[in-house]
Amino acid sequence: MLRQHARQRGNLKLTEPGGETGQSFGVIGKPKGRKLVPGTGFAFSSVLQNSDKKTVGELNAFCLATQPSPGEAINGTCSGTAVVPGGSFALNVGGKSIGNNVSGAIVGGTGKYAGATGTFSSKSSGGENSPSTVTFDYTLP
């Protein structure tokens, strides 16, 4: 008889403060003006803060256009790592108009999040470079 283990579910909410707080940004390839052509994109890093506005982690990601994109949003795919208290999450998102409000998949993790699956979302409180709430809804094996 196989014994099934209860899967542990969790939720973690952090904030990307926006602005220039702990953020870096770089262009990949040679965009045409403000438009991204297939094979171009960007890489970025930003800090993650808890509800006390204390830096507790960081988000590192890159996005590549697979179709012509307007520049403010990308038609393509993004992959990243969120370093959070106790470990990290491996993240993927793809589709059209990936921009300030994003949702995607948690496809792995490390530390206390080893083997994590689930979803994440990042919801901006305004326009480009405004604070965003990042929510990780995860399941552990």
Side-chain angles (χ1 to χ4, degrees), residues 5 15 18 26 43 45 60 68 71-72 85 91 112 122 128:
H5 297 281
T15 300
S45 177
N60 298 290
E72 295 297 318
L91 310 173
K112 75 179 198 179
S122 177
E128 193 173 329

Side-chain angles (χ1 to χ4, degrees), residues 38-70:
T40 63
F42 53 88
F44 70 94
S45 177
S46 62
V47 298
L48 294 171
Q49 297 179 336
N50 64 14
S51 58
D52 296 328
K53 297 190 186 224
K54 178 182 175 201
T55 297
V56 295
E58 64 185 28
L59 176 62
N60 298 290
F62 64 90
C63 296
L64 290 175
T66 57
Q67 298 175 13
S69 305

Side-chain angles (χ1 to χ4, degrees), residues 12 14 48 50 55-58 82-89 110 112-113:
L12 177 63
L14 297 172
L48 294 171
N50 64 14
T55 297
V56 295
E58 64 185 28
V83 178
V84 296
S88 67
F89 291 112
T110 65
K112 75 179 198 179
Y113 305 106

Side-chain angles (χ1 to χ4, degrees), residues 19-20 22-28 31 34 36 41-46 61-63 71 128-129:
E20 300 300 317
Q23 184 173 2
S24 65
F25 182 88
V27 175
I28 298 170
R34 290 196 46 84
L36 296 174
F42 53 88
F44 70 94
S45 177
S46 62
F62 64 90
C63 296
E128 193 173 329
N129 286 326

Side-chain angles (χ1 to χ4, degrees), residues 11 15 17 33 35 76 106 128:
N11 175 279
T15 300
K35 295 187 186 275
I106 297 172
E128 193 173 329

